Amino acid sequence: MDQSRLYSVRMRASEKESHENGGKHISGGELLSSYSDLRMSVNTLLEKALNHSRGKPDFFQIQFEIVNQPIKLVNPLPVQTNEVTTVKEGQELARYLLKKTGVPKNIIEKAYKQIPEYGVRGAILIDIQTGERIDGRTDKGVRVSRMDWQTGNFEKWAKSKAVPTNPRLKEALVLATKVCNHELTIAELCWSDDPDYITGYVASKNIGYQRITQLKHFGDERGCRIFFVDTLSDINTYMSYLEEQPILVQLEEDHET
Ligand code: WAQ
Ligand code: MG
Ligand code: MG
Ligand code: MG
């Protein structure tokens, strides 16, 4: 892939109405593509939206734009899988891991109390000093974008770590790696809003990407994505990083090539 000229491709799809008119979020996706791969990249995101466990989209939007900033190469977070036998056990482990990353216990509990209220198509930002939501994006949340991991390099990594080349794992690890690469990110807590996917994770610079095999029950369409951040002097700079800084995840040994 020609890294000197990359395009950011973004997709969103919803049921009944568009998102801004109150439609139900079905699918979203973002990737980086070379010009010659654009046809395939757009098709990948189209397929993602058309075959989705949350339902059939009635509204679909896709766009691409050239990325003008230099691309930053970042190593993937280390990955560990924690097998649990119940959702309760999984959620207890998630809280324990969040505490280990440095989120105070009372803030974790406060965040958990707010989870049912969200239902956004992006992520929620929570200040670890106050436990308050600080992104100000109401029903939209913050959508992290302009990140990817080239297939060959991802597959090489997956093989070396004996992890499955699951596109969902790839997408989530790319996102978590980008988010945790910012110094103001303390931790991320995530599980899917797809009813057929119950594995989620807690991630941070210090503990890496900690998968937890059950964070919700099958059939549940409520997802969660929270970034715990340290009190910010400039929240807008942080949100621009999430939305605009282009990042390619890549194994260190390959950075020079
Ligand atoms: N930026 C911000 N928030 C996002 C983004 C994004 N690019 N993509 C998704 N979200 C939010 C949004 O609110 C979704 O409803 C929610 O996260 C869940 O998204 O096996 O598949 O894509 O290691 O359904 C994690 C475990 C899977 C993977 C997470 O999330 C593994 C997943 P989904
Ligand atoms: Mg999605
Ligand atoms: Mg996703
Ligand atoms: Mg989803």
Side-chain angles (χ1 to χ4, degrees), residues 200-213:
Y201 64 88
V202 173
S204 84
K205 277 174 280 297
N206 299 330
I207 67 166
Y209 181 90
Q210 296 282 343
R211 305 175 75 218
I212 302 172
T213 56

Side-chain angles (χ1 to χ4, degrees), residues 25-30 48 52 143 168 171 193-194 225:
H25 176 66
I26 298 292
S27 177
E30 37 280 306
K48 184 182 180 186
H52 208 283
R143 194 84 199 176
R168 194 188 286 272
E171 275 176 29
D193 58 348
D194 304 3
R225 199 155 228 147

Side-chain angles (χ1 to χ4, degrees), residues 84 87-101 108 112 188-191 201-202 207 210 212 214-215:
V84 293
V87 174
K88 186 165 176 281
E89 191 192 329
Q91 286 293 357
E92 274 163 15
L93 177 59
R95 284 173 162 88
Y96 168 80
L97 290 171
L98 282 172
K99 203 156 162 283
K100 247 175 86 171
T101 67
I108 298 170
Y112 263 90
E188 179 188 358
L189 169 66
C190 169
W191 60 87
Y201 64 88
V202 173
I207 67 166
Q210 296 282 343
I212 302 172
Q214 298 185 43
L215 281 182

